[in-house]
Amino acid sequence: MSEDLIQSYSTKDLSIATICSHTALQIFHGARQEGFKTIGICRPERKELYEAFPYGSPDEFLLVDDFSEILQSEIQDRLIDAGAIMVPHGSFVEYVGPSRILEDLRVPTFGNKMSLNWEGNRHQELKWLSDAKLRLPNKFEPHEIDRLCIVKFHGAKGGRGFLLVSSEEEYHQLLEKSLKEGKISRLDADTAVIQEYAIGVRCYVHYFYSSILNRLELLSMDQRLESNIDELHRMGSTRQELAKLGVDPSYVVMGNIPMVLRESLLPEVLALGERTIESSQKLFSPGLTGPFCLEMICTPELEFIVFEISARIVAGTNLFPLGSPYSCYLWGEAMSTGRRIAWEMKEAQRTERLGEIIS
Ligand code: ATP
């Protein structure tokens, strides 16, 4: 981003903008708490939803038929004139794409856009998490499968179509079935990742790395509710019995529930976050700044196996618009991740360090 743009933003009244989806209610709510004007990039049919929640609604709607329109020159100029800083969230990254955000989005964006690219590329993500010395699920080639494994497809958005297999034979059988039923493409099949199915309790930890305060904050955590896998046990059937009934497991996120960890596990969880930040600073300087989430499984030995990173605000933070059982001890007031982003921007502008937190 140009020095001129940073200069012009340093004295402007800034506003916070995002796409109306995912964590937008929380982002607008938090921005308003910190005194920012807000702009919601919205599809016409979604406007009503945001208007139904006045404290989470943007001050101004910028209506588009397709979210990729935000890359159009006149829309970007309009946002820059309004002193907008974009907050990327999961739907934002999915609709616009990490490489177009990096290359074509001129509007200043909260955080380091490079981290979205590192997260979005499976090889780079693996390099990042390995370099951080996190324990990752073992990876397998089809002929090596000797235990329960999860087969993940890059194109399969949000866990739809993932397979559970425990032998090479089962892998080929289920893969062919998914291809025949059109659930996955040939490209999905060729680029599938086979991972050990980690047995334990899932935990999605929401961190915030502050470049301005030079510290890592543990803001909250959640557990995702994934359909249908989270309720399949109620049928009391084995995997094979379910398959005969035509019931395939899927991991589609439909909501989130709050969680806390036993206190003795917190030092380890903080250390995992610290190492993730240190590694990002080494791999793509200046590294990740702002919110991120490590998705992990805590085994019965109380070890954490990390299976994914999200280098942006995650939807599980929507549980805590009024703060969490962790953010209250850091801030002494109702600090959500959305508000924390706005606070960082305000403080960066006040101390003339905006260039460190936007890209
Ligand atoms: P998203 O982009 O929404 O995070 P995704 O397509 O990247 O989804 P993952 O987050 O990797 O997929 O996995 C989806 C779900 O599958 C997880 O939330 C978890 O329930 C389960 N899962 C993934 N990897 C493993 C694993 N190695 N062991 C056990 N469960 C797993």
Side-chain angles (χ1 to χ4, degrees):
M1 198 175 34
S2 77
E3 270 303 314
D4 285 353
L5 193 52
I6 296 178
Q7 271 309 319
S8 78
Y9 264 52
S10 60
T11 49
K12 248 187 192 166
D13 279 341
L14 300 180
S15 44
I16 290 183
T18 198
I19 280 177
C20 288
S21 181
H22 196 264
T23 35
L25 289 167
Q26 188 203 151
I27 291 169
F28 296 139
H29 179 247
R32 180 167 291 133
Q33 284 174 301
E34 292 298 324
F36 285 95
K37 189 186 154 205
T38 51
I39 304 172
I41 300 142
C42 193
R43 287 207 189 109
E45 69 274 14
R46 275 292 168 86
K47 191 164 175 258
E48 208 177 328
L49 166 71
Y50 288 86
E51 286 170 337
F53 294 102
Y55 290 96
S57 176
D59 296 310
E60 184 188 326
F61 284 97
L62 200 163
L63 295 182
V64 293
D65 292 319
D66 187 304
F67 289 127
S68 63
E69 286 174 39
I70 62 169
L71 296 175
Q72 288 174 3
S73 220
E74 50 293 8
I75 294 197
Q76 297 212 48
D77 289 342
R78 222 171 114 187
L79 287 164
I80 291 173
D81 285 346
I85 295 181
M86 294 286 220
V87 177
H89 51 52
S91 309
F92 194 123
V93 177
E94 194 179 316
Y95 293 131
V96 185
S99 54
R100 299 199 75 191
I101 291 177
L102 185 64
E103 282 150 29
D104 302 331
L105 186 65
R106 285 184 288 117
V107 185
T109 304
F110 186 72
N112 179 355
K113 290 175 186 170
M114 296 279 288
S115 37
L116 299 174
N117 256 36
W118 275 75
E119 170 217 302
N121 175 308
R122 282 215 195 269
H123 297 291
Q124 286 186 318
E125 182 191 28
L126 183 65
K127 187 167 176 204
W128 182 3
L129 301 182
S130 314
D131 186 82
K133 304 215 166 11
L134 307 184
R135 185 169 162 206
L136 310 177
N138 290 318
K139 270 178 73 178
F140 292 85
E141 293 301 322
H143 69 275
E144 296 170 326
I145 300 173
D146 63 355
R147 65 194 77 175
L148 186 62
C149 288
I150 182 164
V151 185
K152 299 185 184 184
F153 305 103
H154 204 44
K157 295 270 176 269
R160 196 183 297 275
F162 285 6
L163 304 175
L164 290 184
V165 299
S166 53
S167 66
E168 182 180 6
E169 191 193 351
E170 194 178 15
Y171 168 78
H172 289 300
Q173 195 190 328
L174 293 187
L175 201 71
E176 283 313 312
K177 182 168 169 275
S178 293
L179 278 166
K180 212 151 82 200
E181 291 171 357
K183 290 184 177 160
I184 56 166
S185 66
R186 177 48 69 186
L187 182 67
D188 290 334
D190 292 344
T191 54
V193 172
I194 308 170
Q195 256 181 20
E196 163 191 18
Y197 194 87
I199 308 287
V201 174
R202 287 167 306 128
C203 174
Y204 303 73
V205 181
H206 319 145
Y207 302 91
F208 189 98
Y209 177 67
S210 169
S211 312
I212 298 302
L213 299 181
N214 189 22
R215 71 177 194 191
L216 178 74
E217 300 177 6
L218 168 58
L219 284 185
S220 49
M221 56 187 77
D222 77 293
Q223 197 171 60
R224 288 186 186 167
L225 285 171
E226 296 174 326
S227 182
N228 54 17
I229 191 72
D230 286 333
E231 297 276 337
L232 282 185
H233 64 94
R234 297 182 63 182
M235 296 176 72
S237 313
T238 63
R239 236 161 20 91
Q240 285 73 16
E241 286 165 350
L242 287 169
K244 271 197 203 132
L245 294 170
V247 180
D248 298 321
S250 62
Y251 295 79
V252 178
V253 181
M254 52 72 62
N256 306 80
I257 50 176
M259 74 180 287
V260 289
L261 280 176
R262 53 192 275 192
E263 216 157 280
S264 57
L265 292 173
L266 294 180
E268 175 63 5
V269 162
L270 281 167
L272 300 178
E274 293 284 2
R275 297 210 296 274
T276 304
I277 291 300
E278 281 160 17
S279 157
S280 77
Q281 290 168 344
K282 210 161 59 182
L283 293 171
F284 51 96
S285 175
L288 187 154
T289 183
F292 67 103
C293 172
L294 290 179
E295 305 177 12
M296 42 191 147
I297 287 170
C298 184
T299 69
E301 292 73 37
L302 301 181
E303 282 183 316
F304 291 97
I305 302 180
V306 177
F307 60 87
E308 174 97 301
I309 182 169
S310 293
R312 48 159 175 85
I313 185 168
V314 290
T317 61
N318 285 342
L319 286 160
F320 309 105
L322 298 178
S324 80
Y326 297 105
S327 70
C328 62
Y329 306 132
L330 274 161
W331 286 89
E333 57 181 324
M335 184 59 80
S336 67
T337 297
R339 182 174 180 189
R340 185 65 190 82
I341 291 170
W343 189 95
E344 192 85 348
M345 281 187 204
K346 200 161 88 177
E347 189 61 9
Q349 192 185 35
R350 191 185 70 77
T351 53
E352 298 180 11
R353 296 174 65 187
L354 259 187
E356 294 175 40
I357 61 143
I358 53 179
S359 59

